[in-house]
Amino acid sequence: MAGVTMPHISRRSALTVIAAGGAALATGRALAQAAAGRAIYPVAVPVYQTQFVADRIGYFKEAGLDCKLVQGGSGVKTREIIASSQGDIGIGDVTHPMQLTNHGRAARVLLPVDTRSNSVMFILRKDLKDQGINSLEAFTQWKRPDGRKPIVSVSSLGGTNHVWSSYYMETMGLDDKVTWIGTGNVDTMLGSLKSKQVDILVSSLSLLNEAQQQGWGELLFDGTDEAIWNKHIGGKVPVTAHFTLQATIDKDPAKMQAYVTALWRASQWIKTHKPTEVYDAIEPYVGSTSREANLLEITSIQKVADYEGSIDAASFARGEKVWFREMTGIKPLKIADVVNSSLIEAARKAYPG
């Protein structure tokens, strides 16, 4: 097939070739007509780097996609964009497609990108750390000047940071002793800590580094630490994933295969490249924080990344106690109700890891 000329190939036919792992994609040949698409990410941090790499290295283009990346502003807003079919594929907490499915918009995880969260670092206001607050327990005993509970900020209520940080707090019996608020993107999250509108910011290493360098905050509790994670969670769990609606898959399965193939290739590229090379590729998307902060986060992501792109029964079972609880409001689902494995299996066949 590699030597066959296909001058009149249609877009759908071209994408079907991709779905089968055909030679047109393998040789990097430009497809006859690019399919317009929109990939949605919450905020400008490296944890969403598979989408950034797929764009910057050219994997979306090679897959026959004219893909525009759109910042949703938070995980919840990303979910809403996918739910309204204004975007083809989103990336965010694995609970987002579960929420959609629970509310009658059947959605599927297409491939996970990590095995534990890298964004559950509790960053305490520096002035509170200087006052001697050195544990979450001590923090929850402190009161704001007006007598109210301390305020914990996450990017969005119901998003990744909230789901996992609230689980930690619940297991410690501290969840009801704080007020949770969502503060949006990188700039507004850091701004809320700087202005002391919030007392703890739950986020990732890049924001911790930025807060430390600016003198706004210090690390209080590291929920990304493997030992702490294993103590409370028990091992590997898919936390962040690419997802879409089942209706979007049904409407154009070949197009969605093209997305998954491109993202799979991006994950394998990340696996074999140094943090500095990854940063150079994604820099246009993560410019809100410093190069140093981003390199630290990229390094930490490589430690938790899922380079297999699969979710097994054991990891799903570990996540159930976090996903299906009162805080999330998600009714229990089976793995078959949440995960589509056929597209990633086809991508792996076309491009073995």
Side-chain angles (χ1 to χ4, degrees):
M1 188 176 188
V4 177
T5 301
M6 298 180 287
H8 303 296
I9 189 168
S10 69
R11 177 178 71 83
R12 181 172 291 275
S13 296
L15 290 171
T16 302
V17 172
I18 295 172
L25 185 148
T27 59
R29 182 186 307 164
L31 297 175
Q33 181 181 348
R38 286 161 60 93
I40 317 300
Y41 64 96
V43 293
V45 293
V47 70
Y48 307 119
Q49 63 189 7
T50 42
Q51 283 193 358
F52 306 154
V53 167
D55 177 50
R56 295 280 293 164
I57 302 301
Y59 294 140
F60 282 143
K61 184 177 181 180
E62 289 182 24
L65 295 166
D66 179 12
C67 183
K68 180 180 180 181
L69 267 64
V70 178
Q71 182 173 322
S74 71
V76 173
K77 290 179 180 178
T78 295
R79 181 177 78 215
E80 292 171 350
I81 293 170
I82 297 302
S84 65
S85 299
Q86 296 179 62
D88 298 309
I89 191 168
I91 184 171
D93 194 272
V94 72
T95 58
H96 290 311
M98 297 175 185
Q99 293 273 21
L100 291 172
T101 298
N102 268 190
H103 290 86
R105 296 286 284 166
R108 295 292 182 269
V109 172
L110 299 175
L111 68 158
V113 301
D114 49 21
T115 59
R116 68 177 189 270
S117 177
N118 85 313
S119 60
V120 278
M121 292 183 166
F122 289 68
I123 306 166
L124 179 68
R125 277 171 38 191
K126 188 176 187 302
D127 64 303
L128 297 182
K129 191 71 178 289
D130 292 342
Q131 292 177 34
I133 294 177
N134 57 11
S135 68
L136 286 172
E137 291 81 0
F139 171 72
T140 57
Q141 293 170 10
W142 175 83
K143 300 295 182 184
R144 292 180 64 82
D146 58 5
R148 290 185 300 167
K149 299 176 183 179
I151 298 174
V152 178
S153 163
V154 291
S155 60
S156 62
L157 297 178
T160 302
N161 309 38
H162 190 205
V163 169
W164 295 92
S165 59
S166 67
Y167 181 76
Y168 275 127
M169 295 288 276
E170 280 185 20
T171 61
M172 299 175 190
L174 304 174
D175 184 56
D176 61 351
K177 297 181 180 180
V178 301
T179 298
W180 299 88
I181 68 169
T183 49
N185 62 30
V186 171
D187 292 334
T188 55
M189 283 192 289
L190 286 171
S192 68
L193 188 69
K194 175 186 178 182
S195 61
K196 301 181 182 179
Q197 296 178 67
V198 304
D199 307 307
I200 275 181
L201 174 64
V202 180
S203 194
S204 57
L205 188 58
S206 62
L207 269 68
L208 169 62
N209 181 264
E210 198 74 15
Q212 288 175 325
Q213 287 194 342
Q214 298 294 336
W216 303 333
E218 292 290 344
L219 180 64
L220 180 65
F221 177 82
D222 186 1
T224 71
D225 179 80
E226 186 173 10
I228 292 174
W229 179 270
N230 289 341
K231 175 184 176 181
H232 292 275
I233 310 300
K236 174 183 175 181
V237 179
V239 173
T240 310
H242 298 279
F243 65 96
T244 192
L245 295 179
Q246 181 62 50
T248 302
I249 300 174
D250 294 341
K251 181 180 179 181
D252 198 337
K255 180 179 180 180
M256 296 315 299
Q257 179 67 69
Y259 271 113
V260 173
T261 299
L263 292 165
W264 166 249
R265 294 183 70 193
S267 74
Q268 298 308 294
W269 185 93
I270 292 167
K271 179 181 179 180
T272 58
H273 286 76
K274 298 176 182 178
T276 52
E277 295 171 313
V278 175
Y279 174 75
D280 288 343
I282 71 173
E283 188 274 333
Y285 288 108
V286 294
S288 295
T289 46
S290 68
R291 183 177 190 274
E292 179 185 0
N294 281 303
L295 285 173
L296 286 171
E297 185 165 349
I298 291 167
T299 301
S300 73
I301 291 170
Q302 289 186 326
K303 296 177 182 178
V304 305
D306 186 335
Y307 295 119
E308 297 177 0
S310 61
I311 301 174
D312 59 25
S315 61
F316 191 87
R318 290 187 201 101
E320 290 180 322
K321 61 180 177 289
V322 182
W323 305 324
F324 308 138
R325 58 191 167 102
E326 186 177 351
M327 174 266 157
T328 67
I330 302 173
K331 296 176 182 178
L333 296 163
K334 298 178 180 179
I335 190 170
D337 299 325
V338 179
V339 179
N340 177 308
S341 59
S342 62
L343 300 180
I344 185 60
E345 288 172 1
R348 279 199 295 261
K349 288 180 181 178
Y351 293 93

